[in-house]
Every structure is written in structure tokens, then in C-alpha cells.
């Protein structure tokens, strides 16, 4: 079973979507980047990271470099996750990020727009993993 690390400051908002994802994957859902760092240092081999883009800086990054938390996930990816070679699916309510991410042309990344449909996360992860493998 594939393992996913989901990083979102408000996992309760997406609780049902995450529950649906757990029907097919082993999911570690965390609210803090510090917790994600800890999980990634353990001997867990993740097949995918789902990363919220707009999150509080949690005291780990300057507000100025994250546009007041608006792009904390992108800064975290560029600073720490890009080197891990784990595919990353960026996840946000803001559709404007999709174009910005395509301009960056990062390997093994994509964008999924958050949706109130509880199946959107599972469908987006399935599609991304199918394309990236």
C-alpha cells in the first residue's frame, strides 16, 4: 500500500476527503511543518506528499519570504522537499497557484484545487500517481 504524507494546517476542514484517501492509501496527516520534518527523518518511505500551499509560517519561515503565509508550502518545498525526490501534489483553494506552478516546471509536482467534493482528493491523488509512475 502506498504511503502519503499530507501536510495541511487545517486538516479538520478536509477530514472527510482525507478519510476517503485512507480507503486506498496509508496516510499520515499532519498540521505542522515541524511534525512533517520529524516524519520525513524517520525511516518511512513516502510515495507522495500532499502539501497545502497557504499555511501559517509556524515560526519556521519569515513572513516576508512567505508573503504573510500565503506561499509557505512553496517556500518549504523549495528549501527542503525538492531535494528528497518524493513527488509532491500541491493543494490549495486558490486556483491562481496552478499557473504559477506550471511556470516553475518542477519535476514530479502538480497542483490540485481543493473542492468541497469529498472525493476530489482521492481522485486527484490517483490521477497524479498514475501519471508520475
Amino acid at each position: 500500500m502506498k504511503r502519503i504524507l499530507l501536510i495541511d494546517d487545517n486538516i479538520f476542514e478536509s477530514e472527510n476527503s482525507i478519510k476517503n484517501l485512507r480507503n486506498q492509501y496509508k496516510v499520515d496527516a499532519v498540521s505542522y511543518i515541524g511534525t512533517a520534518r520529524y516524519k520525513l527523518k524517520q525511516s518511512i518511505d513516502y510515495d507522495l506528499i500532499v502539501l497545502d500551499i497557504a499555511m501559517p509560517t509556524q515560526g519556521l519561515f519569515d513572513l516576508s519570504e512567505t508573503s504573510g503565509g500565503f506561499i509557505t508550502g512553496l517556500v518549504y518545498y523549495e528549501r527542503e522537499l525538492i531535494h528528497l525526490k518524493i513527488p509532491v501534489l500541491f493543494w490549495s483553494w486558490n486556483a491562481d497557484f496552478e499557473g504559477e506552478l506550471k511556470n516553475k516546471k518542477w519535476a514530479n509536482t502538480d497542483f490540485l484545487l481543493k473542492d468541497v467534493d469529498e472525493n476530489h482528493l482521492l481522485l486527484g491523488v490517483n490521477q497524479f500517481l498514475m501519471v508520475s509512475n
Side-chain angles (χ1 to χ4, degrees):
M1 181 178 284
K2 291 191 184 266
R3 293 191 65 116
I4 296 173
L5 177 60
L6 186 140
I7 308 164
D8 188 338
D9 64 302
N10 194 354
I11 56 176
F12 301 109
E13 180 180 272
S14 304
E15 186 175 8
N16 289 329
S17 294
I18 295 168
K19 182 179 176 183
N20 287 343
L21 191 62
R22 285 186 167 132
N23 288 332
Q24 291 186 22
Y25 300 98
K26 177 113 175 106
V27 179
D28 291 331
V30 300
S31 299
Y32 300 101
I33 291 173
T35 306
R37 286 175 170 166
Y38 174 78
K39 294 258 183 205
L40 289 165
K41 286 181 183 177
Q42 295 185 17
S43 60
I44 300 171
D45 291 325
Y46 289 103
D47 300 289
L48 174 66
I49 296 172
V50 176
L51 179 60
D52 185 21
I53 295 174
M55 293 189 290
T57 62
Q58 302 168 357
L60 303 172
F61 306 103
D62 291 337
L63 284 173
S64 61
E65 68 186 326
T66 64
S67 298
F70 191 65
I71 60 167
T72 301
L74 298 179
V75 172
Y76 177 48
Y77 175 78
E78 286 183 312
R79 289 245 182 108
E80 299 179 31
L81 299 179
I82 196 168
H83 308 293
L84 298 179
K85 308 295 186 212
I86 300 171
V88 173
L89 183 60
F90 292 100
W91 195 33
S92 178
W93 287 107
N94 188 337
D96 294 339
F97 286 122
E98 185 171 13
E100 184 176 334
L101 289 169
K102 287 189 189 307
N103 289 336
K104 292 191 179 285
K105 298 180 183 175
W106 287 327
N108 293 317
T109 64
D110 204 350
F111 176 80
L112 178 64
L113 184 64
K114 288 185 178 184
D115 194 301
V116 293
D117 178 355
E118 295 174 357
N119 290 312
H120 86 282
L121 180 58
L122 176 61
L123 295 172
V125 165
N126 285 343
Q127 181 179 6
F128 179 65
L129 288 174
M130 194 168 47
V131 170
S132 67
N133 287 330

